Amino acid sequence: MKNILDEIDRLRMERGWTEYQLAENSGLTQSTISSWYRKNLIPSIPSLEKVCNAFGITLSQFFS
């Protein structure tokens, strides 16, 4: 199974985005995103959908 936080990092790095830029592009707060990493939390599906939209991909593509 794919590590969700590692995959978000991979996609973010591909684009050369900081966590702040991901937050800006997804409509989430930077504190939300950084708390996922600090607390090793899995994002909720609605939050993950926002992240996927920022990356221009679907949830299905994210998990494939």
Side-chain angles (χ1 to χ4, degrees):
M1 184 172 165
K2 207 177 261 201
N3 182 306
I4 292 172
L5 295 178
D6 287 348
E7 184 64 8
I8 291 171
D9 264 349
R10 185 186 72 75
L11 292 165
R12 185 173 59 81
M13 296 298 186
E14 271 183 8
R15 288 156 179 81
W17 290 358
T18 63
E19 283 183 14
Y20 177 78
Q21 288 169 310
L22 176 57
E24 287 288 303
N25 289 310
S26 66
L28 297 167
T29 64
Q30 185 177 8
S31 63
T32 295
I33 293 170
S34 64
S35 73
W36 297 339
Y37 293 97
R38 278 194 327 273
K39 299 175 183 177
N40 200 28
L41 299 173
I42 297 173
S44 66
I45 294 297
S47 292
L48 191 53
E49 282 181 315
K50 289 180 180 184
V51 168
C52 288
N53 287 338
F55 290 141
I57 62 173
T58 64
L59 276 173
S60 296
Q61 290 169 315
F62 180 86
F63 286 107
S64 67

